[in-house]
Amino acid sequence: MASLVGSRVERKEDKRLLTGKGRYTADINISNQTYAVFVRSPHARAKIKKIDISKALKAMGVVEILTGAEIATDKIGGLIAGWAIRSEDGSEMKVPANPPLAKDSVNFVGEPIAVVFAESLDEAKAAADLVNVDYKVLKGVINTAEAMKGETIHDGIEKNLCYDWLLGDRKAVEEAFAKADKIIKVDLINNRCIPNAMEPRACVVDYNTASEEITLYTTSQNPHLSRLIMSAFGGVAPENKLRVVAPDVGGGFGSKINVYNEEIVCSWASKKIERPIKWVAERTESFLTDTHGRDHVTHAELAVTNEGKFLAFKNETIANLGAYARVFGTVTPTYLFGPCATGVYIIPAAYTNVKAVYTNTAPVDAYRGAGRPEATYTIERLVEKAAMELGIDRTEIRMKNFPTEFPFKQTLVHTVDSGDYVAGLQKAKQMSDYAGFDARRKKSEANGKLRGIGVSSYFEACGIAPSAVVMSLGCGVGLWESSEVRFNPTGQVSVFTGAHSHGQGHDTTFAQIAADELGVGLEAVDVVHGDTDKGTFGMGTYGSRSLAVGGIAIVNACRKIVAKGKRVAAKMLEVSEDEIDFKDGEFIVSKSNKKKTIGEVAFACYLPGSRDSDFKSPLPEGEEPGLIESSFFDPANFSFPAGSHIAEVEIDPETGEVKVEKYTAVDDFGRIVNPLVVEGQVHGGIAQGIGQALHENTVYDETGQLITASYMDYTMPRADNFPDFNLGFTCTHATSNPLGVKGCGEAGAIASPPTIMNAVIDALGGQEITMPATAEKVWKACKVLKKKNAKAA
Amino acid sequence: MKTFNYHAPKDIKKASKLASTSSAFLAGGMTSIPSMKLGLATYKDIIDIKHIKKLSGIKVSGKSVTIGSTTKHAEVASSKDVQKVIPSLAKLAGGIGDAQVRNRGTVGGSIANNDPSACYPSACMALNAIIHTNNRKIEASKFFKGMFETALKKGELIEAVEFKIPEKSNYQKHPNPASRYAIVGVYIAKYKKEVNVAVTGAKSSVYIDKDLSKALSNSFSSKAIEGMELNSSEMNTDIHASGDFRASLVVTYTKKAVEAC
Ligand SMILES: Cc1cc2nc3c(=O)[nH]c(=O)nc-3n(C[C@H](O)[C@H](O)[C@H](O)COP(=O)(O)OP(=O)(O)OC[C@H]3O[C@@H](n4cnc5c(N)ncnc54)[C@H](O)[C@@H]3O)c2cc1C
């Protein structure tokens, strides 16, 4: 039987999703449901003096209106920061309370204050307009770089500083800097992005008055984790009385990791009003209140020798957390950022210092890549600038500093188990015809255009797990993943996973893995996810962890099935276990060629007896009936995908438009389960990264109003913004899991922003501009360049 | 969205009769429906004019192209007739928004709305268009009054737009990267005795740039306007482009348009 792992199996889920048969949260309706509309703060920062709901309560169709006062009375907990980070001085981070409905003060535009439940959506909206909130408007703190100088947003949190964190050795760095031939410096802004999942957030809550069980249908990347948080911290219901279902979910990109205000409020309220509740975000609500991504201001320096050897690296970053610290909000700019900031290089001394600040803007949390794009942007801008300043070819300087022996003990935290960075960059050079660039540049110049080339080599730590490691770094939970595999009596297999698919294609790739392990056809395997009532437990999908952690739990559960099957087959075939081989779904006695298929064995496990066999069970002594196994997998290490991307851009100096002409990506994701799915992930990631580099501009005005709160102003990249992506792969297996796989979901978004910006800056003759490189910025830089060139001539 | 009465008259007379101070015509709905959803506009009666056959279609005579008001952008873009006699008009229609917008949005809706960054108003101005309504004919130069403002009276219905066929013409736009409306759109049309350079997106409403038009009337070549600098003080400034950038883009795209003729 040919192996399914490694083949381009078309996505099983696509037929359903592309023909409109997906079942999303907003598609779910429960009879007698009420409709929720939230009253939200129009101000970035204000004290709430009074909330008057009397008029609204009398409006047509209103069932109930609840505010922060009831939340407090019922002792419903607030939203949480999932990771505890310590400052350099040893003190604990400072986290403000974040009640699901703001009671005394509001801290960003869109923060919910009250909720109206009515018989229809129109009635709920009309009544929400009648809720009268009396505010004392205060001056907001908006700008990341200035946040520490602004008024104190949260009582007792001085300088709006959550923590002042250090990773690395300042002294060693200063010593190395003193010996350097040259110091390369960059000042960077990693622009805030709004994730913009295609499906807005939504929830539908069904409270069963008899069993007192709450069922929450919601747009989540991690239903089990949501249940845990809502139960343990929200106090909404005990875990056994709370079922969280995340059905089809239309994209998350990190923004659907958090348990949000609306889910907590609607779950709590459903029990209170004893009615089902439906809430669906409007697009503007998504813009305003989904967690945003990135938003760093960085000063970084690289100490180098004249020959281009890297000596030391320093990184001083201010990270904007927004108004509140959320689930991955505090770890994203620290442990997901700092350790990767030295990139794919041997840099003997390094440190990263991050000051995380609160501002009166939407909370910032993990966004595809979470910390690693920011890290890669920092080091790759520095490296490219170093090459330029030292007059060394940009690929040569990288090769000079790549480690060539693995495991590679990286300067700050990670021990990278496997990789071949030289092979990746060489392949990218060859695929992109790096050598032919000068000729292409001349051709562009002849047409009055500027052409630039940019390279970025990255590695990242993903497959977010080792529980022992992440918990030692401050994570509030263990990040293992689990699976249960049920081999049914009649031969089909149900694979339950704690990972969640919201675009990743698990229905297909996980089925490929299980089918291979069990030797059954792909069609016999169903992957079940997204429901706390189905399957064991799970931490969900983010940090490119589904395959490298969740997929391995499936492998291990399947192997337990095969192990039991072997014991049963041995009994059935009347041989000892070690005489049996398992191959392609058959248990074969090597000597006699007698065999039982796994289907026959499964059948026997459930029906252990027969009229003809005189009370003889096919099950060995002490073996339980049934064929169901589960596994919890907690890997020994992260997985470390890596690669090199090369882009070429062409700029029209008169209009400032940047066209991405060529994009080549060579990635090492270890063993690839399904190239089609992986290519899709890489395409999406690159598109998102190019979006950040060239298009996506999140603008708050000085009063904290989000100017880019609709698609009329927030630029989502579109297909015509991209060339065909030229993808290649190299392969070194991960050693931390039995499949040798590494994560692939975020790599594109990690590598592409610096690749593109390096190319743009190259085209602009080394002039630095900030992301996104929009037409006007580029046009201005072109004018400067023209003047400079005129002077030189 | 607030509730309203929906009417779908089959002829112009009925539509006119239904019109009142609290009604609105519904064409493609690309602008009117979002503004109703956002609560920016509320009406008692919505008069859907898409079922009036007479309002849709493209007619070419010796001197002009007349496009019915409910003709969709996609229809204009793919019309062989328009492509033959005023190819730039087909190109303009084919570059509006995205496929969904082009399959619903109409020329009548576009000019009635007179969005400062819409494309069609510049075509009307450059191509000396005449706007035919249910009770008069209005020259384009007297039709566009200001931001979202036109010469239309309450309840007045655009039946068709008549564009004069030029010798040469071209439309160039610098799209808003998010919405794909025009940050700056330049429509140039060369007639026997004059050249019109109509600009959209740059100011509060579409206008004819007199200096560019004059320079090109004298000599129809991009050299004629090389290095020209426009006054940016009245130009729009927003997060996508400053007035200075817009001023420069107007000249740049005018050159591109001349070169493409
Ligand atoms: C995302 C997006 C991108 C767009 N990009 C562009 C672009 O690049 N360039 C561009 O030019 N436009 C653009 N548009 C506008 C679009 O092309 C439509 O022309 C515009 O939205 C209005 O046309 P409509 O037919 O949908 O009119 P509607 O929305 O139905 O009506 C708009 C207004 O015109 C009135 N009206 C409609 N028809 C008549 C009539 N016959 N007589 C009198 N009044 C009438 C209505 O009452 C209403 O007040 C874009 C729109 C969107 C949503």
Coordinates of all heavy atoms in Angstrom, one line a residue, chain A residues 67-98:
Chain A
T67 N -25.4 44.8 32.9 CA -24.2 45.7 32.9 C -23.2 45.1 33.8 O -23.4 44.0 34.4 CB -24.6 47.1 33.5 OG1 -25.0 46.9 34.9 CG2 -25.7 47.7 32.7
G68 N -22.1 45.8 33.9 CA -21.0 45.4 34.8 C -21.4 45.2 36.2 O -20.7 44.5 37.0
A69 N -22.4 45.9 36.7 CA -22.8 45.8 38.1 C -23.3 44.4 38.4 O -22.9 43.8 39.4 CB -23.9 46.8 38.3
E70 N -24.1 43.8 37.5 CA -24.5 42.4 37.7 C -23.4 41.4 37.6 O -23.4 40.4 38.3 CB -25.6 42.1 36.6 CG -27.0 42.7 36.9 CD -27.0 44.1 36.4 OE1 -26.4 44.4 35.3 OE2 -27.6 45.0 37.1
I71 N -22.4 41.7 36.7 CA -21.2 40.9 36.6 C -20.5 40.8 37.9 O -20.1 39.8 38.4 CB -20.3 41.4 35.5 CG1 -20.9 41.3 34.1 CG2 -18.9 40.9 35.6 CD1 -20.5 40.0 33.4
A72 N -20.4 42.0 38.5 CA -19.7 42.1 39.8 C -20.5 41.3 40.9 O -19.9 40.6 41.7 CB -19.5 43.5 40.2
T73 N -21.8 41.6 40.9 CA -22.7 40.9 41.9 C -22.5 39.4 41.8 O -22.5 38.7 42.8 CB -24.1 41.3 41.7 OG1 -24.2 42.7 41.6 CG2 -25.0 40.8 42.9
D74 N -22.6 38.9 40.6 CA -22.5 37.5 40.4 C -21.1 36.9 40.4 O -20.9 35.7 40.1 CB -23.2 37.1 39.0 CG -24.7 37.2 39.1 OD1 -25.2 37.7 40.1 OD2 -25.4 36.9 38.1
K75 N -20.1 37.8 40.7 CA -18.7 37.4 40.8 C -18.2 36.6 39.6 O -17.5 35.6 39.6 CB -18.5 36.5 42.0 CG -18.9 37.3 43.3 CD -18.2 36.6 44.5 CE -18.2 37.4 45.7 NZ -19.5 37.8 46.2
I76 N -18.6 37.2 38.4 CA -18.1 36.6 37.2 C -16.7 37.1 36.9 O -16.5 38.4 37.0 CB -19.0 36.9 36.0 CG1 -20.4 36.2 36.2 CG2 -18.4 36.5 34.7 CD1 -20.3 34.7 36.4
G77 N -15.8 36.3 36.7 CA -14.4 36.7 36.5 C -14.1 37.4 35.2 O -14.9 37.3 34.3
G78 N -12.9 38.0 35.2 CA -12.6 38.8 34.0 C -11.7 38.0 33.0 O -11.5 36.8 33.2
L79 N -11.3 38.7 32.0 CA -10.4 38.1 31.0 C -9.0 38.0 31.5 O -8.6 38.8 32.4 CB -10.5 38.9 29.7 CG -11.7 38.7 28.8 CD1 -12.9 39.4 29.5 CD2 -11.5 39.2 27.4
I80 N -8.3 37.0 31.0 CA -7.0 36.8 31.7 C -5.8 36.8 30.8 O -5.9 36.7 29.6 CB -7.0 35.4 32.4 CG1 -7.2 34.3 31.3 CG2 -8.0 35.3 33.5 CD1 -6.6 32.9 31.7
A81 N -4.7 37.1 31.4 CA -3.4 37.0 30.7 C -2.9 35.6 31.0 O -2.8 35.2 32.2 CB -2.4 38.0 31.2
G82 N -2.6 34.8 30.0 CA -2.3 33.4 30.2 C -0.8 33.1 30.7 O -0.5 32.0 31.1
W83 N 0.1 34.1 30.5 CA 1.4 33.9 30.9 C 1.9 34.9 31.9 O 1.7 36.1 31.7 CB 2.3 34.0 29.6 CG 2.2 32.9 28.6 CD1 1.0 32.6 27.9 CD2 3.1 31.9 28.2 NE1 1.3 31.5 27.1 CE2 2.6 31.1 27.3 CE3 4.5 31.7 28.6 CZ2 3.2 30.0 26.6 CZ3 5.2 30.6 28.0 CH2 4.5 29.8 27.0
A84 N 2.6 34.5 32.9 CA 3.1 35.4 33.9 C 4.6 35.7 33.6 O 5.4 34.8 33.5 CB 3.0 34.8 35.3
I85 N 4.9 36.9 33.3 CA 6.2 37.3 32.9 C 6.8 38.1 34.0 O 6.2 39.0 34.5 CB 6.2 38.1 31.5 CG1 5.5 37.3 30.4 CG2 7.6 38.6 31.1 CD1 6.2 36.0 30.0
R86 N 8.1 37.9 34.3 CA 8.8 38.7 35.3 C 9.7 39.7 34.7 O 10.3 39.5 33.7 CB 9.7 37.7 36.2 CG 9.0 37.3 37.4 CD 9.9 36.7 38.4 NE 9.2 35.7 39.2 CZ 9.3 34.4 39.1 NH1 10.1 33.9 38.3 NH2 8.5 33.6 39.9
S87 N 9.8 40.8 35.4 CA 10.7 41.9 34.9 C 12.1 41.6 35.2 O 12.4 40.7 36.1 CB 10.3 43.2 35.6 OG 9.1 43.8 35.0
E88 N 13.0 42.3 34.6 CA 14.4 42.1 34.9 C 14.8 42.2 36.3 O 15.6 41.5 36.8 CB 15.2 43.2 34.1 CG 16.7 43.0 34.1 CD 17.5 44.1 33.3 OE1 16.8 45.0 32.7 OE2 18.7 44.1 33.4
D89 N 14.1 43.1 37.1 CA 14.4 43.2 38.5 C 13.7 42.2 39.4 O 13.7 42.2 40.6 CB 14.0 44.6 39.0 CG 12.4 44.9 38.9 OD1 11.7 43.9 38.6 OD2 12.0 46.0 39.1
G90 N 13.1 41.2 38.7 CA 12.5 40.1 39.5 C 11.0 40.3 39.8 O 10.4 39.3 40.3
S91 N 10.5 41.5 39.6 CA 9.1 41.7 40.0 C 8.1 41.0 39.0 O 8.5 40.9 37.9 CB 8.8 43.2 40.1 OG 9.1 43.8 38.9
E92 N 6.9 40.7 39.5 CA 5.9 40.1 38.7 C 5.3 41.2 37.8 O 5.3 42.4 38.1 CB 4.8 39.5 39.6 CG 5.2 38.3 40.3 CD 5.5 37.1 39.5 OE1 5.2 37.1 38.3 OE2 6.2 36.1 40.0
M93 N 4.8 40.8 36.6 CA 4.2 41.7 35.7 C 2.9 42.3 36.4 O 2.3 41.7 37.3 CB 3.8 41.0 34.4 CG 2.8 40.0 34.5 SD 2.4 39.3 32.9 CE 1.0 38.2 33.3
K94 N 2.6 43.5 35.8 CA 1.4 44.2 36.4 C 0.2 44.0 35.4 O 0.3 44.4 34.2 CB 1.7 45.6 36.6 CG 3.0 45.9 37.3 CD 2.8 46.5 38.6 CE 4.1 46.7 39.5 NZ 5.3 46.1 39.0
V95 N -0.8 43.4 35.9 CA -2.0 43.2 35.0 C -3.2 43.8 35.6 O -3.6 43.5 36.8 CB -2.2 41.6 34.9 CG1 -3.4 41.3 34.1 CG2 -1.0 41.0 34.2
P96 N -3.9 44.6 34.8 CA -5.1 45.2 35.3 C -6.3 44.2 35.3 O -6.3 43.3 34.5 CB -5.4 46.4 34.4 CG -4.8 45.9 33.1 CD -3.6 45.0 33.5
A97 N -7.3 44.5 36.1 CA -8.6 43.7 36.0 C -9.2 44.0 34.6 O -9.1 45.1 34.2 CB -9.5 44.1 37.1
N98 N -9.8 43.0 34.1 CA -10.5 43.2 32.8 C -11.8 42.5 32.8 O -12.0 41.5 32.3 CB -9.6 42.6 31.7 CG -10.1 42.8 30.2 OD1 -9.6 42.3 29.3 ND2 -11.1 43.6 30.1

